Amino acid sequence: MRLFYAGLILLVLMGVVLALAFLFQPDRMSLWEPLEGPEQPSLIEELPIAQLSDYGTGDENRLAVLVTSDSSNWLGLAHGLKTIGVPFIMTTDVQRALSHDVVLVYPVISGREVDTDTLRALARFPQNGGTLIATNVLGGGLAPVFGFDSVTESRAHTHLVFDGAYDITADFEALGQSRIKIGSATKLATNPGTNAYLSPLQPPVAVYEDGSAAIVRRDYENGTAYALGIDLGQLLLKGYNFKEDDISEAYANQYQPTLDTLLRLVAAIYREGEADAITLGTVPDGKTLSVMMTHDVDYRKSVRNAIKYAEMEKQNDIRSTYFIQTKYMKDFNDETFLDEDGTEQVRKLDALGVEIASHSVSHSLQFNTFGLGSGKEAIPAYRPFVRNSNDTSDASILGELRVSKFILESLTGKPVKSFRPGYLRIPPQLPEALSWSGYSYSSSVTANKSLTHFPFRLMAGRGFETNVDVFEFPITIEDEMPPLMGERLDDAIAIADRLAAYGATMVVLSHPDILDHKFDFAEGFIAHVKPFAWMGTVSDFGDWWAARDAVGVDVISSDTGKSIELRCASPIEGLTLHVPDAYAIPERIEGGTVIEARKGAWLVDCAGPLMRMDVAG
């Protein structure tokens, strides 16, 4: 018995000694030089709720969105229209909306939501030559206006299938957009609600997988009416807020243009109905695809390998983004690699012209569960510790953002604007935390899980009412899922070609832990897309995209002709304007330059704040 107690005491003492050694080992933290900072705390402030009036200015050439319920997902619709480049206004004033040639009524038409006078005015609009688009036409006596008899509601619908016989959908089959997934066959409770329109007068623009009409159209002598059986704003926010549930057909590495197809449909209807329709191109410099080659450096050997990738990219005259983990704590994941050798490699990367971006401090699997933090986190006091794959201590969202940014900026002397979390783990408060920490751009989700191959603006708390001045650039291709990346080059090229057909965005994620097949993939992919793609860093494209997001375009008519007014909050170069074919080359230009003008598309530089082009047409 005495031996038993002696052994027990010895085990306890050994445990205490090991715990103390674990807590107080002096070499767990290692940096190339002592650092202290950042000194200034993050300004954690309540962000203003978006208002319809934020989107209320513009001329009558724009799409008018008549909002029938301001508690709806209208902000998601606004973000989607910004992404696809359709100029629009949002209003609750029916008379103002009906002064436009194309009107989208959102989110519902029913006798409960819309008064009798408004219903009558809407009924007359397509008969008088206007284009009327409505989501969820549930009542109010307007079924005959849209050419159907009655409506049934369901959460069981999973796909839309488009009829390519209409001009607005003629290219859908060639682009692989004739059938898109919009819901889950097994998780009906999380599906967006849908409506099927019964006994349509004309062949539906789209049907559900069971053949019932999802999008119907009725043509008048000079006008058209469309009824959509889906809540477009809700579906957009499911993708933009990482809240889809079994709608994505893969985690990554696949082509899934669900939201892109629906936004392209709205843009096509707008162009069909508005004689002076002008939309904004989605790719800089007149190219057809935006490509960002990105690399996650989160392993000691990757720091040195990254140089080989950067040298190859420089030889190809492109810049890429390197998301670098600022690993100064020895823990379960790896050794530290911000010693003198590691920092020398980072500086070499910087000298090669790449973008240095943040990949967090701890690279923890638990990042999505971290608390927000105080906004005062600073080195050397901030010491996140990954104990194992299930436990990380002394870490916070703001700590990961603030401290990694500070370290990288101390290394290069340049601002760090882009962030990607380890393992693509996304806490709900990441959008506003990025903004509070001074970031502008995120590449933290996959395109498949976002249901889109376009960038989009983030929203606070991944909610539906508050904008954040941070844009997301979703990842199309990653390197860790089977088969090996080098064996997927042909598949990636096929996706790139499809995305280029409608001006989408393609982010490639690769870890430079090895060269071999990943290096071969990078070389082969760059060689294929470079002739037709804009290629650059996340922050370079982000700066262009943010400037584009703030552009407003109006057409002002007078007795002497028409003027296009481009309002640019900040200068933007290489912006394509898709204009009516009838528009002649601008005769007089102020506030910018037309770089190239061809039928239907002008490439312009807008010096801001106002560019004016007088045209005949």
Side-chain angles (χ1 to χ4, degrees):
M1 186 64 70
R2 288 180 181 177
L3 287 174
F4 171 78
Y5 282 116
L8 182 62
I9 292 170
L10 181 60
L11 286 173
V12 170
L13 289 173
M14 288 176 62
V16 171
V17 170
L18 287 172
L20 290 173
F22 182 81
L23 290 172
F24 296 109
Q25 275 192 30
D27 62 345
R28 288 199 176 275
M29 180 175 179
S30 176
L31 278 169
W32 78 101
E33 64 180 36
L35 285 179
E36 293 185 9
E39 295 182 359
Q40 295 298 320
S42 299
L43 179 59
I44 302 175
E45 56 184 349
E46 186 173 352
L47 300 173
I49 294 174
Q51 304 295 323
L52 276 173
S53 57
D54 298 338
Y55 303 92
T57 59
D59 213 74
E60 294 176 2
N61 66 289
R62 299 190 182 203
L63 168 70
V65 180
L66 178 63
V67 178
T68 57
S69 172
D70 57 10
S71 63
S72 63
N73 295 303
W74 61 264
L75 189 55
L77 180 60
H79 286 191
L81 293 172
K82 285 275 191 181
T83 285
I84 206 63
V86 171
F88 67 96
I89 63 130
M90 289 191 155
T91 182
T92 58
D93 183 339
V94 65
Q95 295 305 318
R96 185 184 177 198
L98 295 181
S99 69
H100 294 240
D101 289 337
V102 185
V103 176
L104 193 165
V105 184
Y106 179 83
V108 64
I109 290 181
S110 71
R112 180 179 300 176
E113 297 288 346
V114 183
D115 63 67
T116 302
D117 289 342
T118 297
L119 290 170
R120 289 172 179 166
L122 292 175
R124 292 191 297 267
F125 186 68
Q127 299 175 56
N128 292 336
T131 296
L132 180 63
I133 315 165
T135 62
N136 301 318
V137 181
L138 302 182
L142 263 62
V145 174
F146 294 93
F148 66 89
D149 180 60
S150 57
V151 62
T152 60
E153 301 180 45
S154 174
R155 286 189 178 274
H157 290 133
T158 61
H159 289 80
L160 291 180
V161 183
F162 291 90
D163 183 351
Y166 290 102
D167 288 344
I168 56 174
T169 55
D171 65 353
F172 279 22
E173 183 173 359
L175 295 180
Q177 298 179 358
S178 59
R179 180 183 174 91
I180 59 171
K181 189 176 180 184
I182 60 166
S184 168
T186 58
K187 299 182 178 180
L188 304 187
T190 65
N191 276 352
T194 60
N195 297 289
Y197 300 114
L198 307 183
S199 303
L201 289 176
Q202 295 178 205
V205 175
V207 297
Y208 296 111
E209 73 288 341
D210 60 5
S212 58
I215 301 175
V216 297
R217 165 176 172 157
R218 181 175 182 183
D219 292 318
Y220 293 84
E221 184 176 355
N222 294 308
T224 313
Y226 293 90
L228 280 62
I230 59 172
D231 186 329
L232 181 53
Q234 180 190 31
L235 190 57
L236 284 160
L237 287 186
K238 277 187 173 291
Y240 292 170
N241 285 331
F242 200 58
K243 290 184 177 179
E244 70 80 28
D245 194 356
D246 194 36
I247 300 177
S248 63
E249 296 178 294
Y251 176 72
N253 303 323
Q254 300 293 323
Y255 175 68
Q256 186 173 359
T258 296
L259 302 183
D260 307 356
T261 303
L262 294 169
L263 291 173
R264 292 186 69 243
L265 177 71
V266 173
I269 295 172
Y270 166 66
R271 285 191 292 267
E272 177 189 66
E274 172 54 63
D276 291 313
I278 298 177
T279 57
L280 305 180
T282 51
V283 184
D285 300 335
K287 299 287 189 175
T288 59
L289 176 68
S290 301
V291 172
M292 284 151 275
M293 303 296 292
T294 70
H295 307 274
D296 289 4
V297 181
D298 48 34
Y299 168 56
R300 186 172 182 86
K301 189 176 180 180
S302 297
V303 183
R304 187 171 292 275
N305 283 347
I307 303 298
K308 299 293 185 182
Y309 286 86
E311 288 173 341
M312 178 270 292
E313 289 156 353
K314 186 177 179 65
Q315 289 171 0
N316 282 278
D317 197 29
I318 66 169
R319 299 178 66 230
S320 59
T321 298
Y322 286 75
F323 291 95
I324 298 177
Q325 181 190 1
T326 55
K327 183 161 183 54
Y328 56 83
M329 294 293 293
K330 179 182 177 182
D331 59 17
F332 173 81
N333 281 341
D334 198 1
E335 301 286 331
T336 64
F337 45 78
L338 280 186
D339 53 17
E340 289 186 5
D341 179 64
T343 54
E344 180 185 355
Q345 305 308 315
V346 174
R347 290 192 175 105
K348 284 182 179 179
L349 280 175
D350 180 56
L352 286 166
V354 311
E355 176 191 9
I356 300 296
S358 170
H359 197 36
S360 80
V361 176
S362 64
H363 197 272
S364 170
L365 272 165
Q366 289 80 50
F367 182 62
N368 59 315
T369 66
F370 284 4
L372 177 62
S374 66
K376 299 178 181 179
E377 292 86 350
I379 199 169
Y382 184 70
R383 299 191 176 201
F385 191 79
V386 179
R387 298 177 181 275
N388 53 56
S389 60
N390 299 311
D391 185 15
T392 301
S393 60
D394 303 320
S396 67
I397 300 170
L398 288 171
E400 296 294 296
L401 298 175
R402 284 169 48 84
V403 173
S404 60
K405 187 176 194 293
F406 170 74
I407 290 173
L408 293 172
E409 289 177 344
S410 298
L411 260 174
T412 67
K414 298 174 183 176
V416 170
K417 302 166 70 173
S418 306
F419 177 80
R420 176 179 290 158
Y423 304 104
L424 304 186
R425 297 299 175 121
I426 312 167
Q429 288 182 290
L430 182 59
E432 55 266 49
L434 286 166
S435 179
W436 293 331
S437 301
Y439 292 88
S440 299
Y441 311 119
S442 166
S443 185
S444 303
V445 299
T446 64
N448 286 99
K449 297 297 287 185
S450 302
L451 309 179
T452 180
H453 296 281
F454 281 118
F456 49 89
R457 182 186 289 273
L458 293 177
M459 303 178 73
R462 305 213 306 262
F464 63 92
E465 62 181 12
T466 304
N467 286 324
V468 174
D469 288 330
V470 177
F471 290 91
E472 175 67 36
F473 301 90
I475 301 154
T476 301
I477 302 296
E478 59 78 61
D479 65 340
E480 294 191 320
M481 296 176 65
L484 295 177
M485 193 176 201
E487 298 173 8
R488 292 192 264 121
L489 177 58
D490 290 344
D491 292 339
I493 285 173
I495 293 173
D497 290 345
R498 277 189 163 176
L499 296 179
Y502 67 97
T505 302
M506 192 165 183
V507 177
V508 177
L509 182 165
S510 176
H511 294 79
D513 53 335
I514 62 169
L515 298 174
D516 195 40
H517 67 90
K518 293 186 182 182
F519 194 89
D520 293 341
F521 174 95
E523 284 190 310
F525 184 77
I526 290 169
H528 178 81
V529 301
K530 188 180 177 185
F532 57 85
W534 178 95
M535 303 190 73
T537 69
V538 172
S539 63
D540 284 346
F541 185 66
D543 289 347
W544 185 88
W545 189 266
R548 173 191 177 275
D549 187 79
V551 169
V553 58
D554 295 293
V555 179
I556 311 299
S557 298
S558 66
D559 294 338
T560 59
K562 298 176 181 178
S563 296
I564 300 174
E565 292 189 350
L566 206 62
R567 300 185 183 277
C568 307
S570 57
I572 182 171
E573 296 181 351
L575 176 65
T576 297
L577 303 180
H578 296 289
V579 302
D581 289 346
Y583 276 25
I585 295 173
E587 299 172 350
R588 186 167 66 91
I589 304 167
E590 299 175 354
T593 306
V594 176
I595 305 302
E596 179 185 351
R598 62 183 188 276
K599 185 177 180 180
W602 301 346
L603 186 65
V604 305
D605 293 346
C606 179
L610 176 65
M611 182 178 181
R612 183 184 178 99
M613 294 164 280
D614 294 341
V615 298

